[in-house]
Amino acid sequence: MSRLVVVSNRVGPIKDSGRAGGLAVALVDTLKAMGGVWFGWSGEVSDEGTFGPLQQEKQRNVLLQQIDITPADYEEFYIGYANRTLWPVLHYRLDLADFDRRFEDGYRRVNERFAARLGPEIREDDIVWVHDYHFFGLGAQLRAMDVHNPIAFFLHVPFPAPEILAALPNADALVRRMLAYDLVGFQTERDASNFRRFIIEELQGEDLGGGRVKAVGRVVHARAYPIGIDAEAYSQAAYSPDARRHIARVEKLLDGRHQIIGVDRIDYSKGLPERFRAFERLLEDYPENRGLVSLMQVAPPSRSELDAYADIRRELEGLAGHINGRFADLDWTPIRFLTRSFPRRSLAGIYRASKVGLVTPLRDGMNLVAKEYIAAQRAEDPGVLVLSRFAGAAERMTEALIVNPHSSEEVAAALQTALTMPLEERRERWQAMFDRLCVEDAKAWANTLLKDLRAAV
Ligand code: GDG
C-alpha cells in the first residue's frame, strides 16, 4: 500500500493532546490510516539550518521528519516572504505587503532546500501532499529532482482574484511553478476559480472544463475541497468534564446575562477592531442590551515579532478600554478581551455557554472557529452564528446570519436578530449546519482530495 507523505511548515503533534487544531486532527487521522511521513520545519533556527541533521521520530505508523532553518531563512523565508509578502497579498491587503527581492530569493532557496532534503525520503509508491503558502514552489523543485510521484497541493488561505495577485512581483512565475502539482486544492469555489482565471488570463492557459486547466504543457486539476472538522468528536468534547467546568465558570460570570463569543488569533485578517466597533454599535442602536449582553474575545497572540500584529493588539486594547469606559456598570463589563489561549476542550465549553458566535474576518480561507462553534452547541437550545461573507465557511454555512464585516450597522443588526431569535428558528438553522458539518468533515476532506489525486494521475 502506498504511504502518504505530508509536507507542511509546522509538524504534528501526532497524539491527540486535546490541543491540536483542526488541520492537525484531519491530517493525523489520514496519516494514521495510511501510514506515512510528516515532513516540515522543526520550529528551530540554527547555523546549519536545512543542512543540519534530519530529526526523526516514529509515532505509531507515522514518521515525523523535521529540519531547522538558518537565521537568514527565518528572516527572509518565514518572517519575510511568507508573513510579510504572501500573507497580506493572499488576504487582499496589498497596502500591508512588503515586496523585497531578498525575501523572494529566501523563499525560493528554502523551497529548494526542503525539496533537496525531502526528495531522497520519497519512495516509488508514495503519494505526496504539500500544504499551504509556505511551499507553493516545493512541487516544482521535487519535479526538477525527477520525483514523478503524484503530488497534491492544498492552500489553506484564500487565493485572491488575479487583479490582486498580479500586483505581486513575479506572481506569474510563482503560479507557473504550481503547475508542477497534479492537483491543486482550495477552500472555496471562488478560490479555485480565481486560480483558473489567473492561469487563463495571465499565463495564456486553456480551460479544459471539469476544473482542469492547461498551461506551459501541464494539465492541473484545480478544485475546491472545503476543509472540515471532526464535528462529532468536537460535539462530544463540549460535554467533557473540562468543558463542563468552563460552562459553569462562564454561567456564573454571566449570572443570567448573554454572551457573544469571538475566538481568533490576533491577525489583521480577522477583522477584530471592526468587530469591537460593531459591538459598540449594538449597544448604541439597541440600548436594551446594555447591562445584559457582553462580548468575550479570546485572542491568542500570534506572529508578535511583526509590527502589524503588535499595532493591532494595541488598537484592540484601546478600543476595549474605550467601550468599557463608555458603557460599563458596577456589575457588568461589556467587553472581555483575553489575550491568552485555552485548551481545546475548555474552548468547546466556552462556545457552548455563548448565545452568539461572532466570526467576522475581513478575509479567511475557511475559518474553523465558525464550524467549532456550531459543533459545540446543544441541540435542544443552540446559539446563533453570525458569519462574515468573506470567510470561506460562508460558502457552505448558508444558514448562519451572513454579514459584511465592514458595516458595523449591519453586524449590529445581525447581532440583535441573533439575540432575539426564537428557539424554533435557531434549531432549524443549527440542525442544517450541524448535519452538513458531520458529512463534510475532516476525514471526508482528506479522502476526497486524495481520491481525486489518484484519479488525476
Ligand atoms: C488557517 C486559515 C483555515 C484559536 N484560539 C485557541 C485555539 N484556536 C484554534 C481554533 C481553530 C484554530 O485555532 C484557528 O483556525 P482558523 O480556521 O479559525 O484560522 P487560522 O489559524 O487562520 O487557520 C483558515 C485554517 O487554516 C484551516 O485550513 O480555516 O482560514 O487562515 O481550530 O479553535 N485553540 C485552542 N485554544 C485557543 O485559545 N486550543
Side-chain angles (χ1 to χ4, degrees):
M1 203 174 116
S2 58
R3 300 183 312 169
L4 178 63
V5 177
V6 169
V7 186
S8 58
N9 186 47
R10 297 306 305 276
V11 169
I14 206 87
K15 295 187 194 100
D16 184 9
S17 61
R19 286 183 40 213
L23 166 66
V25 172
L27 288 176
V28 165
D29 282 350
T30 314
L31 274 166
K32 276 195 208 145
M34 289 179 67
V37 177
W38 193 346
F39 184 93
W41 174 34
S42 62
E44 299 295 326
V45 169
S46 67
D47 291 341
E48 288 172 296
T50 56
F51 292 89
L54 184 65
Q55 300 151 42
Q56 310 205 57
E57 185 189 343
K58 180 110 186 176
Q59 291 188 5
R60 302 207 205 172
N61 55 346
V62 181
L63 181 63
L64 304 182
Q65 296 189 321
Q66 294 169 297
I67 51 175
D68 295 353
I69 58 177
T70 62
D73 294 339
Y74 180 77
E75 283 306 319
E76 294 159 13
F77 157 77
Y78 179 69
I79 294 290
Y81 205 68
N83 285 332
R84 290 169 67 151
T85 310
L86 288 177
W87 181 272
V89 170
L90 297 172
H91 289 87
Y92 291 70
R93 291 298 300 269
L94 292 177
D95 59 320
L96 294 176
D98 224 333
F99 301 125
D100 184 328
R101 186 70 215 206
R102 280 181 315 127
F103 294 170
E104 197 185 324
D105 293 344
Y107 183 82
R108 277 193 195 222
R109 177 180 70 239
V110 170
N111 272 252
E112 189 186 331
R113 287 297 310 147
F114 269 63
R117 296 303 301 268
L118 175 64
E121 305 296 322
I122 296 173
R123 297 182 194 157
E124 199 180 321
D125 291 335
D126 287 351
I127 286 179
V128 184
W129 187 2
V130 179
H131 288 261
D132 231 3
Y133 59 97
H134 306 92
F135 296 121
F136 278 123
L138 189 70
Q141 295 291 351
L142 288 171
R143 295 289 184 226
M145 295 170 60
D146 277 338
V147 172
H148 299 296
N149 303 54
I151 313 182
F153 176 82
F154 183 77
L155 185 64
H156 290 262
V157 299
F159 192 91
E163 294 76 6
I164 300 282
L165 189 58
L168 173 75
N170 300 318
D172 50 349
L174 186 90
V175 179
R176 205 175 296 120
R177 288 201 292 279
M178 291 173 74
L179 293 164
Y181 296 108
D182 298 298
L183 180 148
V184 208
F186 300 92
Q187 299 277 27
T188 65
E189 296 296 342
R190 169 162 318 199
D191 297 317
S193 114
N194 284 341
F195 174 79
R196 293 192 300 260
R197 262 182 65 211
F198 193 98
I199 298 285
I200 292 157
E201 293 170 17
E202 301 288 328
L203 302 182
Q204 288 71 51
E206 199 185 326
D207 192 347
L208 301 180
R212 291 175 316 144
V213 275
K214 185 176 177 189
V216 293
R218 290 273 311 167
V219 174
V220 61
H221 294 243
R223 299 201 186 112
Y225 300 89
I227 193 167
I229 62 168
D230 188 347
E232 272 159 41
Y234 204 89
S235 162
Q236 279 157 20
Y239 288 86
S240 63
D242 194 16
R244 283 175 198 274
R245 227 178 2 260
H246 280 79
I247 293 170
R249 281 180 76 185
V250 174
E251 283 177 350
K252 185 166 167 224
L253 174 82
L254 293 177
D255 193 21
R257 301 182 184 92
H258 292 314
Q259 173 166 289
I260 300 166
I261 184 74
V263 176
D264 312 74
R265 286 183 302 102
I266 294 191
D267 190 304
Y268 47 79
S269 67
K270 302 293 183 182
L272 293 169
E274 290 79 0
R275 186 179 309 173
F276 281 16
R277 285 193 203 99
F279 177 70
E280 181 177 29
R281 188 70 186 252
L282 172 78
L283 300 178
E284 282 168 357
D285 291 1
Y286 307 91
E288 62 270 36
N289 294 305
R290 295 183 194 171
L292 293 178
V293 176
S294 55
L295 169 66
M296 178 178 280
Q297 179 64 52
V298 175
S302 70
R303 306 174 193 170
S304 38
E305 57 276 67
L306 296 170
D307 290 344
Y309 289 73
D311 290 349
I312 196 161
R313 180 176 174 161
R314 264 193 302 278
E315 183 182 359
L316 290 169
E317 285 163 353
L319 272 171
H322 158 77
I323 296 167
N324 284 341
R326 184 172 168 203
F327 291 104
D329 209 335
L330 272 183
D331 56 352
W332 172 64
T333 308
I335 298 192
R336 292 196 177 83
F337 179 41
L338 286 72
T339 48
R340 51 160 290 187
S341 68
F342 286 90
R344 203 165 162 71
R345 289 196 174 82
S346 314
L347 207 55
I350 298 173
Y351 286 137
R352 195 140 81 92
S354 305
K355 177 108 179 159
V356 181
L358 186 53
V359 180
T360 51
L362 306 182
R363 285 287 160 186
D364 218 331
M366 176 55 62
N367 195 295
L368 297 178
V369 170
K371 299 194 170 186
E372 291 163 1
Y373 176 77
I374 290 299
Q377 297 305 301
R378 246 186 303 251
E380 321 78 75
D381 188 13
V384 181
L385 177 66
V386 175
L387 178 61
S388 162
R389 56 176 293 174
F390 302 118
E395 207 169 87
R396 304 285 298 152
M397 299 182 86
T398 47
E399 295 82 5
L401 297 178
I402 305 292
V403 294
N404 174 1
H406 297 280
S407 164
S408 56
E409 195 183 341
E410 193 180 317
V411 176
L415 286 173
Q416 179 67 3
T417 305
L419 288 162
T420 53
M421 189 180 284
L423 176 62
E424 198 180 332
E425 183 179 352
R426 281 191 275 131
R427 281 165 75 165
E428 272 172 26
R429 288 175 183 267
W430 175 83
Q431 192 72 53
M433 286 190 273
F434 184 68
D435 290 349
R436 207 175 298 126
L437 286 186
C438 291
V439 177
E440 299 171 4
D441 67 356
K443 269 187 203 141
W445 166 71
N447 288 342
T448 312
L449 186 143
L450 292 174
K451 192 172 101 246
D452 282 5
L453 172 64
R454 286 193 192 94
V457 289

